[in-house]
């Protein structure tokens, strides 16, 4: 038997033979992009050191210039100190600069919460001291941007030049840094770039506004020098046009009432009302808070959903099978279904976040409208419309504290409210899409419809009983006699009440659930507003945000009342005229001859005195200080210029006395003019 010998060839390994790699080819996924930390060419540390030094030198120069031509102090004719960033109680000053600087500071601080290095002077901040560094950064950045606010407040040409240099430097370096490092490893690769857009917008506005102010020159008609306060008083004293018409003609139509609803949510400026600076800054910072909160909500969720969407493969069918979920026998069909559902999750989340942004903006507009209504009402002395008890409109310790913190309170409440609204709206969209829309279009997962189909007899019973009670109450149990209504068929009414007792329990349960849903949605939608309380009027003092707002109104109204400012302006004008008159008396004695004052000056003085007299007579807050009124009323009958209802006769007598006062004053004024 012959045996054939086979020769075994030696194995030769080739470095260039890759044929075995493709024996079972599988698609390869692209590698995940890794974003490395980036250091811009314009070093952050050196830039801040230089800016602090330059800002300090500019502040010293401005201090020397303002000290040289400082005329007066206090609120009388504005402020001229570098230690007063802005007169927040002046309603006539330029609001754009203060709003831009506050928005710049808020945008910068909003990025510190997740920044790896809160302070630019410390690189690779250790985790043990990171929280302390954040606290220092909270105070550092307001100091860094403080010169921008001062340069616009001092109303000096040198300040406008320094503000232009600072704003252009900040804006140019920020654009340079974002151009060098558009991607960062923080949360999302473009988060730092997107979060810096509000800063760029504020700095761009400052770069334009400072040169414009330098060209126009300092304003001299702010605060008491402005004509706004006198125009406001003239609008109050202006006679209202009386229109005589029937009540049916005055009643608005259905279309007008429908159009009035969206108009009530749109803030339109008025010529005779200036929005306070503090509220204007709060509204702008709230817009910044809405943007940053929306950006953070997007970058925290959407990229994660994209990663989950990219990682779905055939193994998802075995994962769902472990939970007892069988979408299809075909694994590729399961992949398509899960991918589609993941896409629906992303759509629902983006819709919820967009709806939350729109609701927040609409509520902000409504708050601005209500701010104006509340201020104008308190200017007129309508205290009871905003407070549930008698209040003294004057500054207090808690009032000043709330006045200082109003802007921060509103920004924080809006951020938290947006997060809650997004979560609730997301759940509502999921319920709508996965339990109603998809079952209708695809005919699967008909859970809601199956439950409704089984319980339709109960729903029909509830509907029939409810309709029955309304119909019988309208046609069988109410009788109309002339212009009065009364009950009839009382025996049948009592019988029907007893028979429908159990069914009304079910109706009451449905009403309770509906009440809970409506209350929750109302509170969630209005959570970001501080101008209304979510509690009952008797318990609104326990709402800290609303209490802060009411305390803020006390300080704002007591210190920025337009009639008060007009009165102070007239007093200052009278003092100036008295000083000039004394100078004119002294000049003839010294041999200086001057022309007599023109008739226009005398008529202007007489008109100013009449306006002052009319204001004092009709000012309700001075009612309790008059001697005649104090002899008739006790100390508790008048609080804050608002008499109690039991003292109407005294008010009428005081009104008659007030009518007699102008006659006596006119006689004394005419006799005084004759003497002059």
């Amino acid at each position: 038997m012959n045996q054939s010998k086979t020769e075994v060839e030696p194995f030769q390994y080739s470095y260039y033979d890759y044929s075995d790699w493709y024996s079972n080819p599988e698609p390869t996924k692209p590698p995940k992009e890794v974003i490395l930390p980036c250091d811009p060419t314009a070093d952050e540390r050196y830039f801040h050191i230089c800016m602090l030094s330059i800002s300090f030198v500019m502040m010293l120069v401005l201090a020397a210039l303002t000290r040289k031509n400082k005329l007066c102090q206090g609120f009388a004719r504005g402020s001229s100190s570098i230690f007063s960033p802005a007169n927040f109680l002046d309603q006539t000053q330029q609001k754009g600069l203060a709003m831009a600087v506050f928005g710049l500071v808020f945008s910068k601080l909003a990025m510190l919460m997740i920044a790896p290095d809160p302070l630019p002077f410390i690189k690779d901040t250790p985790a043990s001291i990171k929280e302390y560094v954040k606290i220092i950064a909270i105070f550092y950045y307001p100091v860094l941007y403080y010169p921008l606010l001062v340069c616009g407040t001092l109303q000096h040409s040198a300040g406008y030049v320094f503000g232009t240099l600072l704003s252009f430097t900040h804006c140019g370096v920020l654009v340079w840094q974002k151009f060098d490092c558009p991607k960062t490893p923080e949360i999302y690769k473009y988060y730092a770039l997107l979060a810096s857009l509000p800063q760029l917008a504020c700095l761009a506005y400052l770069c334009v506004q400072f040169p414009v102010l330098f060209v126009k020159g300092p304003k001299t008609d702010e605060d008491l020098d402005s004509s706004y306060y006198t125009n406001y008083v003239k609008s109050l004293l202006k006679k209202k046009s009386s229109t005589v018409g029937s009540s049916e003609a005055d009643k608005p139509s259905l279309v007008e009432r429908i159009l009035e609803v969206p108009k009530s949510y749109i803030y339109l400026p008025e010529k005779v009302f200036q929005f306070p600076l503090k509220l204007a800054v709060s509204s702008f910072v709230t817009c910044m808070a809405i943007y940053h909160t929306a950006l953070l909500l997007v970058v925290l969720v959407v990229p994660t959903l994209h990663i989950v969407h990219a990682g779905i493969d055939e193994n998802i069918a075995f994962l769902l099978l472990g939970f007892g979920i069988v979408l299809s026998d075909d694994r590729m069909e399961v992949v398509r279904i899960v991918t589609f559902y993941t896409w629906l999750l992303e759509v629902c989340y983006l819709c919820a976040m967009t709806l939350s942004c729109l609701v927040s903006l609409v509520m902000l507009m409504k708050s601005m409208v209500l701010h104006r209504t509340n201020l104008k009402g308190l200017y007129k002395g309508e205290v009871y419309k905003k407070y549930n008890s008698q209040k003294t409109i004057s500054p207090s310790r808690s009032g000043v504290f709330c006045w200082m913190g109003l802007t921060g309170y509103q920004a924080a409440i809006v951020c938290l409210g947006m997060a809650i609204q997004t979560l609730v709206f997301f759940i509502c969209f999921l319920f709508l899409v996965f339990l109603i829309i998809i079952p209708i279009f695809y005919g699967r997962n008909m859970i809601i419809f199956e439950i409704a189909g089984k319980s339709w007899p109960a729903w029909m019973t509830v509907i029939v009983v409810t309709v029955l009670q309304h119909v019988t109450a309208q046609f069988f149990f109410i009788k109309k006699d002339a212009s009065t209504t009364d009950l009839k068929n009382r025996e049948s009414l009592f019988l029907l009440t007893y028979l429908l007792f159990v069914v009304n329990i079910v109706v009451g349960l449905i009403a309770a659930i509906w009440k809970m849903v409506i209350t929750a949605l109302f509170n969630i939608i209005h959570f970001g507003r501080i101008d209304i309380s979510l509690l009952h009027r008797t318990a609104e003092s326990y709402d800290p945000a609303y209490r802060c707002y009411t305390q803020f109104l006390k300080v704002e109204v007591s210190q920025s009342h337009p009639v008060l400012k007009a009165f102070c302006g007239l007093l200052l004008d009278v003092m100036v005229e008295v000083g000039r008159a004394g100078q004119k008396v002294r000049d003839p004695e010294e041999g200086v001859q001057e022309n007599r004052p023109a008739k226009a000056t005398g008529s202007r003085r007489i008109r100013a005195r009449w306006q002052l007299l009319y204001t004092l007579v009709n000012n309700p807050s001075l009612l309790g200080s008059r001697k005649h009124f104090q002899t008739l009323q006790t100390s508790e009958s008048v609080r804050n210029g608002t008499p109690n209802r039991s003292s109407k006769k005294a008010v009428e007598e005081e009104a008659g006395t007030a009518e007699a006062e102008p006659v006596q004053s006119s006689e004394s004024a005419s006799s005084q003019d004759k003497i002059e």
Side-chain angles (χ1 to χ4, degrees), residues 97-110:
L97 291 176
M99 293 166 59
V101 175
F102 271 86
L104 183 63
V105 174
F106 179 82
S107 298
K108 191 64 180 178
L109 294 179

Side-chain angles (χ1 to χ4, degrees), residues 1 46 113 136 158 190 270 291 302 334 339 352 391 400 414 431 480 483 486 488 497 528 610 616 628 644 661:
M1 183 174 181
Y46 295 122
M113 300 299 103
I136 298 174
Y190 293 114
E270 294 181 358
Y291 175 82
V302 175
V334 173
T339 303
K391 299 291 183 180
V400 174
V414 166
F431 180 86
K480 294 182 179 180
S483 59
D486 197 2
K488 65 178 181 179
T497 302
W610 271 105
L616 293 176
H628 176 69
N644 290 337
E661 286 179 0

Side-chain angles (χ1 to χ4, degrees), residues 528-579:
R529 293 180 59 179
I530 63 174
D531 55 314
I532 61 173
S533 177
L534 301 181
L535 303 177
H536 190 264
R537 189 168 179 82
T538 57
E540 61 187 13
S541 60
Y542 297 101
D543 189 345
Y546 181 73
R547 187 172 183 272
C548 174
Y549 175 71
T550 54
Q551 295 290 336
F552 161 81
L553 289 179
K554 286 184 180 181
V555 178
E556 190 70 31
V557 171
S558 63
Q559 302 299 312
S560 300
H561 201 299
V563 180
L564 171 67
K565 292 290 187 76
F567 175 72
C568 294
L570 289 175
L571 287 181
L572 290 176
D573 293 337
V574 170
M575 292 174 60
V576 172
E577 291 180 1
V578 170

Side-chain angles (χ1 to χ4, degrees), residues 586-630:
R586 291 191 298 268
D587 287 343
E589 297 176 356
E590 299 174 0
V592 180
Q593 297 293 333
E594 288 189 0
N595 296 329
R596 293 184 177 180
K599 294 183 178 180
T601 305
S603 62
R604 191 184 306 111
R605 183 174 65 254
I606 295 173
R607 192 182 305 110
R609 290 178 178 176
W610 271 105
Q611 291 179 356
L612 178 60
L613 177 63
Y614 189 88
T615 303
L616 293 176
V617 169
N618 293 277
N619 191 355
S621 61
L622 300 177
L623 190 62
S625 302
R626 294 173 185 167
K627 183 178 180 180
H628 176 69
F629 190 82
Q630 289 177 351

